[in-house]
Amino acid sequence: MRYSGFKVFTEGLFGNKGWKPAWRDPAPKAEYDAIIIGGGGHGLSTAYYLAKNHGLTNIAVLEKGYLGGGNVGRNTTIVRANYFLPGNSEFYSHSLKLWEGLEADLNYNVMHSQRGLINLFHSDGQRDAFARRGNAMVNQGDDAELLDRDGVRALLPYLDFEQTRFPIYGGLLHRRGGTARHDAVAWGYARGADQRGVDLIQNCEVTGIDVENGRVTGVQTTRGAIRAKKVGIVVAGRSSQVAAMAGLRLPIESHILQAFVTEGLKPVIDHVISFGMGHFYISQSDKGGLVFGGDLDFYASYAARGNLPMVEHVMEAGMTLMPMIGRAKVLRSWGGIMDMSPDGSPVIDRTGIDGLYIDCGWNYGGFKAVPASGWCMAHLMATDQPHEVARRFTLNRFATGDLLDEEGTGSQHNLH
């Protein structure tokens, strides 16, 4: 079924009785050509591009819960391509280009809104750093504009420009940055993969990975054994646990990142705003809620909830930047389990086991990377060669020292 405005209109006339399920609910087969462990954004996009770009359709996505129930539905929905280092810059640039054509490609409204992202800076040093970043973005083929204080005030008049502790010097404007509806991204990729013959199997937890003579042969699940010649591990914050089933030890720590949303308000924040001195970022959803977040909780955990000191820290940063939000009521908060790498950059690579591939280490960048991650992981699994824009995302760089430390904070997981 193809979605369109006309279809919505006609279904409304006839009681909405003609809609069909967006995807099937198949039972797992005994064998597939490839298995993707993880039914989140990255896993679903990998399956979609394996089918679309490489013609592989005998594929299963195995999800222990429901599709889109993990980090893809537990984030602040920001989409951007404002990276600085070669290796990261071209990858996220490729991802943003995929975002811009995603709705037409999937025939699904993912509510992609290129409302613009503004990174504020608060010192001469930060201004110089953002000028360098902006030049790198432009050289990569993306957009960037350096705004002075008056330029920021013209776009964001509601910020506190009178504070002296963290004075606003200006900002870096990335007009093609913005947001998308996180759940819709998962649903769109799930529907697209299903239409191309991929089996999406929910409530099917992987409990073991079968390896014989150095090669993967399948997986053990709560719904029985499934054979496959290729297996991709795409499980975000659970990467270390699932990789351990194959005897692998990953350089990944899992940390909690909290996010918050307020009651619905009239439109006030037209952009995505990032506070340069408090690691606070905020946007306004289409329903009117202010969606915001901040730092990690700074201790390793697999619990999808955070602690109150970090709640206070995030609220303090928000109040420092724009005191007006102190009158808004916070409706709910949630936590995502972040797969943090030592250098803050991801891994899309083969493992030491033939036929077993890993996609992990997304840190704060997971949601914005969903299209390119799936594109590159699918290329790797289909051809056994890394895609050009992901060639630096190797697993062995942590042994060789060829790191991609975007923030220059050193090899400490929770600082990225």
Side-chain angles (χ1 to χ4, degrees):
M1 177 188 294
R2 180 168 179 80
Y3 292 163
S4 66
F6 180 73
K7 180 66 176 176
V8 173
F9 177 74
T10 55
E11 285 297 329
L13 291 177
F14 297 100
N16 289 301
K17 296 180 180 179
W19 297 111
K20 298 178 181 179
W23 55 80
R24 299 168 292 123
D25 187 21
K29 296 189 293 189
E31 184 171 1
Y32 291 93
D33 293 333
I35 288 173
I36 309 298
I37 305 174
H42 292 244
L44 293 167
S45 64
T46 297
Y48 173 77
Y49 291 121
L50 274 170
K52 179 177 182 288
N53 294 351
H54 303 282
L56 302 178
T57 57
N58 187 27
I59 303 169
V61 175
L62 307 182
E63 168 55 46
K64 71 174 183 178
Y66 60 90
L67 297 180
N71 284 3
V72 73
R74 294 172 175 268
N75 61 79
T76 50
T77 74
I78 298 172
V79 175
R80 56 185 172 90
N82 60 346
Y83 282 72
F84 174 67
L85 290 182
N88 281 329
S89 180
E90 57 266 38
F91 175 84
Y92 287 98
S93 179
H94 179 62
S95 196
L96 183 57
K97 293 181 178 71
L98 292 174
W99 275 108
E100 290 171 329
L102 191 60
E103 292 174 324
D105 186 26
L106 297 178
N107 179 228
Y108 202 90
N109 181 15
V110 302
M111 301 169 69
H112 182 213
S113 169
Q114 290 184 292
R115 60 188 65 186
L117 166 69
I118 300 178
N119 287 94
L120 301 175
F121 48 80
H122 309 270
S123 68
D124 291 335
Q126 277 195 331
R127 179 179 56 213
D128 293 345
F130 275 116
R132 290 182 63 202
R133 182 177 294 270
N135 288 332
M137 292 164 62
V138 171
N139 289 338
Q140 175 57 42
D142 297 310
D143 68 289
E145 301 173 38
L146 198 67
L147 304 177
D148 60 14
R149 180 184 173 92
D150 290 337
V152 172
R153 190 192 293 270
L155 295 175
L156 312 175
Y158 45 81
L159 300 184
D160 184 2
F161 288 88
E162 305 307 318
Q163 61 163 305
T164 56
R165 185 180 183 191
F166 303 121
I168 297 172
Y169 278 46
L172 183 66
L173 171 61
H174 176 35
R175 292 189 183 274
R176 291 167 61 216
T179 61
R181 173 68 184 179
H182 44 24
D183 296 319
V185 174
W187 300 334
Y189 273 118
R191 176 173 173 268
D194 176 82
Q195 289 177 337
R196 286 164 173 78
V198 175
D199 282 356
L200 308 177
I201 304 171
Q202 303 179 83
N203 300 307
C204 183
E205 182 175 359
V206 172
T207 58
I209 297 176
D210 297 331
V211 179
E212 295 181 9
N213 299 320
R215 182 167 189 84
V216 72
T217 59
V219 298
Q220 300 293 321
T221 79
T222 52
R223 298 176 66 174
I226 306 175
R227 297 188 300 276
K229 297 177 181 179
K230 294 186 176 183
V231 176
I233 301 174
V234 195
V235 294
R238 300 288 180 178
S239 297
S240 296
Q241 291 176 310
V242 175
M245 299 176 187
L248 301 176
R249 184 180 180 187
L250 297 179
I252 299 294
E253 288 185 2
S254 294
H255 291 258
I256 303 304
L257 180 62
Q258 297 189 67
F260 309 86
V261 65
T262 72
E263 61 187 325
L265 304 170
K266 291 182 178 181
V268 60
I269 298 179
D270 297 329
H271 304 79
V272 180
I273 306 166
S274 178
F275 181 29
M277 295 303 293
H279 201 182
F280 173 85
Y281 37 90
I282 187 169
S283 64
Q284 188 166 16
S285 74
D286 292 330
K287 293 192 297 182
L290 304 181
V291 182
F292 56 94
D295 280 312
L296 297 169
D297 279 22
F298 291 122
Y299 60 89
S301 174
Y302 288 110
R305 60 184 183 275
N307 65 63
L308 290 176
M310 186 52 65
V311 174
E312 183 178 19
H313 172 76
V314 173
M315 302 300 170
E316 286 176 346
M319 288 291 292
T320 300
L321 181 63
M322 49 182 79
M324 67 175 185
I325 68 172
R327 301 179 65 181
K329 295 181 175 65
V330 176
L331 291 187
R332 60 187 179 274
S333 66
W334 59 92
I337 306 174
M338 309 292 288
D339 40 330
M340 305 297 291
S341 68
D343 63 356
S345 295
V347 172
I348 303 177
D349 200 5
R350 300 181 295 267
T351 67
I353 299 171
D354 289 344
L356 185 63
Y357 307 86
I358 185 74
D359 181 315
C360 67
W362 289 101
N363 304 275
Y364 286 90
F367 181 69
K368 67 185 73 67
V370 163
S373 170
W375 185 284
C376 295
M377 183 65 165
H379 183 276
L380 177 67
M381 293 185 66
T383 68
D384 225 33
Q385 296 296 321
H387 192 279
E388 179 61 25
V389 301
R391 60 185 174 82
R392 293 286 303 278
F393 298 161
T394 59
L395 188 58
N396 72 350
R397 73 176 187 269
F398 304 109
T400 64
D402 186 21
L403 303 181
L404 271 175
D405 189 349
E406 183 78 21
E407 296 184 357
T409 49
S411 296
Q412 186 170 331
H413 298 76
N414 61 6
L415 294 183
H416 297 285

